[in-house]
């Protein structure tokens, strides 16, 4: 595999390190990972952690930037770039009315590569 693309699904996995290890495994040397996902920017309050809609709605399963960097590095990825998008806060607030999820998560661009020669 040359490139793995994903849009807001890794946060749904209860075993994110395994997702990244498997992604690394299937990539060719020089391959790239390019995903959009949510990242946690603050600790969740109990009312979000206990809300099933928050788990299946791409909120409560989000990892922090630091946690994602560690998972990617531990899987073997290099050139890790995680860029939260502050402007996503406004539309994220609509995901869980009354709970302000944009106070705790943002959308982010997550890119990294597998060492080795490309293509």
């Amino acid at each position: 595999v040359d490139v793995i693309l994903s849009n807001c699904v890794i946060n749904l996995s209860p075993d994110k390190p395994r997702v990244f290890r498997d992604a690394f495994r299937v990539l060719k040397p020089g391959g790239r990972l390019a995903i959009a996902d949510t990242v946690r920017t603050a600790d969740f309050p109990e009312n979000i952690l206990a809300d099933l809609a928050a788990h299946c709605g791409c909120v409560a399963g989000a990892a922090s930037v630091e946690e994602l960097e560690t998972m990617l590095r531990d899987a073997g990825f290099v050139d890790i770039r995680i860029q939260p998008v502050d402007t996503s806060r406004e539309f994220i607030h609509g995901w869980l009315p009354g709970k302000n999820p944009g106070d705790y998560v943002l959308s982010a661009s997550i890119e990294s590569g597998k060492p080795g020669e490309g293509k």
Side-chain angles (χ1 to χ4, degrees):
V1 174
D2 292 318
V3 178
I4 295 174
L5 303 172
S6 173
N7 186 17
C8 203
V9 295
I10 295 174
N11 75 80
L12 298 172
S13 173
D15 193 352
K16 292 167 195 53
R18 182 174 180 182
V19 170
F20 291 125
R21 286 191 308 270
D22 282 344
F24 186 85
R25 179 182 57 80
V26 301
L27 280 172
K28 293 179 182 178
R32 296 182 340 107
L33 178 73
I35 62 176
D37 215 324
T38 54
V39 295
R40 188 178 70 245
T41 58
D43 290 337
F44 293 118
E46 285 302 317
N47 70 331
I48 287 183
L49 289 175
D51 187 340
L52 292 179
H55 284 276
C56 50
C58 298
V59 175
S64 71
V65 169
E66 295 79 15
E67 290 166 336
L68 289 168
E69 287 173 342
T70 297
M71 288 183 248
L72 288 162
R73 192 171 16 266
D74 288 351
F77 285 98
V78 296
D79 301 326
I80 299 165
R81 293 172 305 286
I82 302 175
Q83 299 173 318
V85 180
D86 195 56
T87 56
S88 66
R89 187 177 316 275
E90 186 176 332
F91 73 82
I92 289 173
H93 273 309
W95 291 358
L96 296 171
K99 294 190 178 173
N100 299 320
D103 291 347
Y104 311 101
V105 298
L106 291 175
S107 178
S109 171
I110 303 167
E111 299 178 26
S112 57
K114 183 171 183 172
E117 294 183 29
K119 303 181 186 167

